[in-house]
Amino acid sequence: MKRIYVLPVLLFFLVSFNTIEKYTTINARDSIAVVATSQDPLPSWNDGPLKNDITAYVKKVTTKGSPDFIPVENRIATFDNDGTLWAEKPYVQELFAFYRVKKMVEANPALAQQQPFKAVVEKDKAFFETGGEKALIQLVAATHTGMSEDEFEASTAAFFAEAKYPGKNVTLKQIRYQPQLELLNYLRANGFTTYIVTGGTIEVVRAISENFYGIPKDQVVGTSFKYTFDDASNSIKREAALDHLNDKEGKPVGIQLHIGQRPVFACGNEGGAGDIAMLRYSQGNKYPSFQLLVNHDDAVREYSYQEKDNLSLNAAAKNNWHVISIKGDWKKVFADQ
């Protein structure tokens, strides 16, 4: 059990331009509904080299007769979620674990005197610091397993309906990055199929992928638990064991398992070195590819943080990936700004 759970738990806590097209602007506060049209496909991106490179790439790979033309069926675009499509300070998955503790204790008050519930209720950080991996394993196992998928889906739906993001006091829908919503929409308008490839659990992200990003459930790749079919109740049960950890080198594996081909467009972020393998995998495509890495360098509008070893940014420099400076490349980060 320790070997199975330690990594995900630590992760939780510690269309061509041949003609002029009109593109939709996405309202990040409320939904992915169309609210306006313009001839600029990326209105929340500052004009400059990066924006030009993105549109130039899309034009060359979608123009029939171009030597770089990519057939529609091969226009696969993969996006990380935490820190790439929405904020990750803290992880939403972490907030969900604490939410589950609250609901479980309300249903069974006796749990408040049992660990790890007691530590969460009493905000006892020392318990997790001294208990280390074992304590964190307990928490995730207790809050994410031991129920049917129907029960879990109901729990995630309730969580997303009422949760507020700490420090910003906004709904979770309001922590999505407006420029990324526009990029997803722009790619889809040009025949790309967009996938979320996340280190978070696949079921939690599936709960909001369509509503938040316009990405169907079957286009989400994520960390997954083992399942069993319970014949008596005619339902799927989740076991306290990990089936696939979809982070770092696990992301290309998850992509192969769920999609079956390399993406031509891949976007991740620096902060945990979790997307390097996915971007490298994309770069090995037989078709022209494009790699993007979000750099969290805006302490005013979002957050400012980097990896201690600078591994992701170093990989980007070495492999000639495109780096998004939130501070320099985005006119706005969230829709409300």
Side-chain angles (χ1 to χ4, degrees):
M1 285 291 295
K2 180 177 180 180
R3 179 180 64 83
I4 290 174
Y5 273 108
V6 60
L7 288 176
V9 175
L10 291 177
L11 189 64
F12 295 158
F13 292 89
L14 302 172
V15 115
S16 81
F17 280 151
N18 287 337
T19 59
I20 296 176
E21 300 287 347
K22 288 187 177 181
Y23 295 91
T24 57
T25 299
I26 304 304
N27 185 337
R29 175 188 291 180
D30 301 319
S31 69
I32 58 166
V34 174
V35 295
T37 60
S38 76
Q39 293 178 356
D40 183 354
L42 304 172
S44 294
W45 294 67
N46 285 318
D47 293 333
L50 180 55
K51 182 176 179 178
N52 291 339
D53 285 350
I54 292 172
T55 56
Y57 171 78
V58 171
K59 180 178 181 179
K60 77 176 185 178
V61 301
T62 60
T63 300
K64 290 185 177 181
S66 165
D68 296 315
F69 179 77
I70 301 176
V72 172
E73 62 270 22
N74 297 118
R75 296 177 200 169
I76 304 297
T78 58
F79 286 75
D80 171 56
N81 189 39
D82 295 313
T84 299
L85 294 179
W86 67 11
E88 63 176 0
K89 295 293 182 180
Y91 289 116
V92 171
Q93 190 93 41
E94 177 183 338
L95 300 179
F96 177 70
F98 292 146
Y99 167 85
R100 287 284 299 144
V101 167
K102 178 183 176 182
K103 293 300 181 182
M104 292 172 74
V105 168
E106 287 176 353
N108 182 8
L111 290 176
Q113 300 306 314
Q114 302 175 25
Q115 296 291 15
F117 301 95
K118 187 174 186 291
V120 175
V121 171
E122 297 178 356
K123 300 180 180 180
D124 182 9
K125 295 182 180 180
F127 172 81
F128 294 103
E129 291 173 354
T130 59
E133 298 171 358
K134 183 178 179 180
L136 295 175
I137 289 166
Q138 279 183 281
L139 181 60
V140 170
T143 57
H144 286 65
T145 65
M147 69 195 80
S148 72
E149 277 307 292
D150 291 339
E151 291 171 324
F152 191 80
E153 287 182 6
S155 183
T156 57
F159 165 71
F160 282 105
E162 63 182 73
K164 296 288 186 178
Y165 201 68
K168 294 185 180 295
N169 195 33
V170 297
T171 67
L172 298 184
K173 184 169 281 190
Q174 290 174 264
I175 65 166
R176 299 170 301 167
Y177 300 139
Q178 173 75 7
Q180 296 291 64
L181 296 179
E182 294 168 1
L183 180 56
L184 288 171
N185 187 65
Y186 174 51
L187 290 172
R188 289 193 290 259
N190 283 277
F192 286 80
T193 303
T194 54
Y195 290 82
I196 294 174
V197 180
T198 176
T201 58
I202 192 169
E203 300 87 0
V204 170
V205 180
R206 279 176 172 173
I208 50 86
S209 63
E210 180 74 57
N211 182 259
F212 278 35
Y213 305 120
I215 295 178
K217 286 184 176 182
D218 61 354
Q219 289 168 211
V220 175
V221 181
T223 294
S224 57
F225 292 94
K226 289 187 177 179
Y227 296 118
T228 58
F229 175 70
D230 183 69
D231 188 67
S233 62
N234 190 26
S235 64
I236 298 295
K237 301 282 187 179
R238 54 173 50 212
E239 298 181 355
L242 198 67
D243 182 52
H244 174 66
L245 175 60
N246 199 63
D247 191 47
K248 298 182 178 179
E249 287 74 17
K251 287 198 172 186
V253 175
I255 289 170
Q256 177 59 34
L257 180 64
H258 289 266
I259 306 174
Q261 63 186 99
R262 295 178 191 255
V264 295
F265 192 105
C267 182
N269 83 109
E270 64 82 24
D275 297 313
I276 295 174
M278 179 175 73
L279 270 62
R280 288 188 59 237
Y281 186 57
S282 168
Q283 201 165 22
N285 208 297
K286 66 179 181 178
Y287 293 108
S289 62
F290 198 100
Q291 293 74 39
L292 266 176
L293 188 77
V294 179
N295 181 20
H296 298 276
D297 60 355
D298 194 328
V300 176
R301 298 183 301 169
E302 202 237 1
Y303 306 99
S304 181
Y305 58 94
Q306 291 182 334
E307 299 152 2
K308 291 182 179 180
D309 56 7
N310 224 32
L311 195 60
S312 294
L313 290 174
N314 288 341
K318 178 181 178 181
N319 294 288
N320 296 314
W321 299 338
H322 295 79
V323 176
I324 299 171
S325 164
I326 291 181
K327 186 176 182 178
D329 290 313
W330 288 353
K331 290 181 182 177
K332 61 168 61 180
V333 180
F334 308 107
D336 294 333
Q337 293 175 334

